[in-house]
Amino acid sequence: MPVSAIRQVVPLGAQWPGVDPFLFAVHHRDEFPAAEGETMRPAAFLEGRSIGGDFSGKDGWSMYHGSEVPGFPQHPHRGFETVTVVLDGVVDHSDSLGAAARFGHGDTQWLTAGAGISHSEMFPLLDPDATNTMELFQIW
């Protein structure tokens, strides 16, 4: 009888359980509200959210570490690789060396996180008239 390569099946959640201490995987799916004009911010009250650390999923979305635009403002990583796949929505990525790019809607980014370099991953809301869906997964 053949042995299955599948070791474990778990429900898809925000953070996936890992069997390897050197592998971290997350999944984000948010139904952000319409954008507030050209600010790329949610046209919604932010009351009741822990701004700077909002992972609540309240109303179907989180601000994460963003205070105005959802996402992850400047933060360091050191000495590992990240792969980000954006299934829907866009990510604005920038780093402390001046590199910047927007990717999304099926794009994949492979990032080598080097010592002394900070980067940010923000989720701009581009549609002022409809829901701004964001879905991505990331493996470190």
Side-chain angles (χ1 to χ4, degrees), residues 30-35 88-89 124-134:
D30 294 282
E31 297 291 332
F32 293 114
D88 200 0
L125 309 183
L126 303 178
D127 192 335
D129 300 316
T131 299
N132 287 270
T133 301
M134 161 59 75

Side-chain angles (χ1 to χ4, degrees), residues 70-73 75 84 91-93 109 119-123 138:
F72 299 89
H75 59 280
T84 305
V91 174
D92 282 348
H93 183 269
Q109 179 198 53
H119 76 124
S120 70
E121 299 146 305
M122 302 305 290
F123 310 147
Q138 188 173 63

Side-chain angles (χ1 to χ4, degrees), residues 36-94:
E36 183 181 277
E38 294 183 18
T39 65
M40 298 187 280
R41 299 185 303 208
F45 291 108
L46 299 181
E47 293 177 24
R49 294 180 181 275
S50 180
I51 298 302
D54 173 33
F55 290 78
S56 68
K58 180 181 176 188
D59 301 323
W61 55 281
S62 298
M63 286 294 288
Y64 302 106
H65 293 298
S67 58
E68 294 187 24
V69 174
F72 299 89
Q74 288 289 333
H75 59 280
H77 287 288
R78 180 167 47 203
F80 60 90
E81 310 286 321
T82 64
V83 177
T84 305
V85 178
V86 180
L87 301 174
D88 200 0
V90 294
V91 174
D92 282 348
H93 183 269
S94 64

